[in-house]
Amino acid sequence: MKVAIVGGSGLVGRALTRSLVADGADVLVDSRDARRRASAVPAPARIADWSPNDIAGLAESIAGMDAVVNLAGARVAPWPWTRRRKALIKSSRVDTIHAIVEALERLPTDRRPSNLIVVSGIDAYPESLPGADPAPMTESTPMGTEFLAQVSRSVEDEASRAQALGVRVTRVRMGNVLARDADLVWFLALPVRLFLGGRIGSGQQWVTWVHIDDAVALFRLALTNAVPGGVLNVTSPGSCRQIDFVRSMARALRRPVWLPAPAALVRLVLGEQSALLLGSRRVAPEQATALGFTFRYPTIDQAFNAVFG
């Protein structure tokens, strides 16, 4: 298998690359700064420079590949969501997938990758009330209207243009990834390690997560013909309340949970970005379950024991 990963030097990209090359796949990572990112790409995968303004160069790099995975995009945290930052978050994603589709269009059919995987997040779904006990949202749930949902819609709509080229398009909506070096884990584990852990807001908001190993396995599944395209939730079946999330983390770290962070304080400090911590989304991996996928870490305790073990 030949796979091009655009923006593959991040957490998920590195893990996916390691998994693919371990099975003998030919992996090319396209990076905006290949020289600086080269050390982050596991050998024997290759890395090459790319730019959304160089469509011809991108087309040349993905020619003959079986699949393209797009993981590129500016980080949504920790910087404040100023007007300029929000514009960057959106443009870094939309411009990238636009360039990829343009590159696919330039390639002859026999040199064009047949599979395109584009990644957004579970923020594509609408928020639910934190204290509610909603039925899990699935791949058929309509998209939300919040800022990140609008970004996801723009990205997915742009990616869908590739279907007219005969390319199978899978729109991955990924939950909060749990790994030792994941930003979310570091951010939330720090106060717990310092004996300052506690619920955020009411603690009743739903947190949808996925262990890095299960995320990679689901990406690998999407690279096969088993997934017919469309939306694929890369999430664990074990969504939980935020208070249960932090309690599980504290158990794994052998720390107490006692100091709450009031919602008003979180909103005061983070502004609109507080939605990342106070937002509530309970999302289920319906398609993965229907395909018979077996999760290695289906519960939050299993995931955190692996992360901190």
Side-chain angles (χ1 to χ4, degrees), residues 122-210:
I122 58 166
D123 301 288
Y125 297 111
E127 286 192 32
S128 57
L129 294 175
D133 190 15
M137 290 180 277
T138 68
E139 286 87 350
S140 61
T141 300
M143 300 181 77
T145 59
E146 295 84 4
F147 165 62
L148 290 179
Q150 295 175 25
V151 173
S152 296
R153 184 184 297 276
S154 297
V155 169
E156 293 184 9
D157 286 349
E158 190 66 35
S160 295
R161 295 195 301 117
Q163 293 173 335
L165 305 173
V167 177
R168 184 172 76 249
V169 178
T170 304
R171 292 165 285 163
V172 165
R173 296 176 184 168
M174 187 159 53
N176 295 296
V177 178
L178 303 188
R180 181 175 291 274
D181 50 348
D183 289 343
L184 177 74
V185 171
W186 179 89
F187 178 79
L188 294 180
L190 180 60
V192 173
R193 291 182 190 276
L194 296 176
F195 294 88
L196 299 174
R199 60 177 170 81
I200 299 176
S202 69
Q204 294 303 299
Q205 62 269 36
W206 286 94
V207 179
T208 296
W209 55 272
V210 62

Side-chain angles (χ1 to χ4, degrees), residues 271-286:
E272 186 180 1
Q273 199 179 41
S274 63
L276 297 176
L277 296 177
L278 299 175
S280 181
R281 289 177 179 86
R282 185 185 185 189
V283 181
E286 185 176 70

Side-chain angles (χ1 to χ4, degrees), residues 45-61:
R46 298 167 290 131
I47 187 169
D49 280 306
W50 85 283
S51 166
N53 299 319
D54 183 12
I55 305 299
L58 180 59
E60 182 179 352
S61 72

Side-chain angles (χ1 to χ4, degrees), residues 67-80:
V68 177
V69 180
N70 176 37
L71 291 164
R75 295 164 66 177
V76 299
W79 296 280

Side-chain angles (χ1 to χ4, degrees), residues 205-224:
Q205 62 269 36
W206 286 94
V207 179
T208 296
W209 55 272
V210 62
H211 189 278
I212 184 67
D213 291 351
D214 285 329
V216 167
L218 284 167
F219 272 90
R220 295 288 304 268
L221 183 67
L223 287 168
T224 71

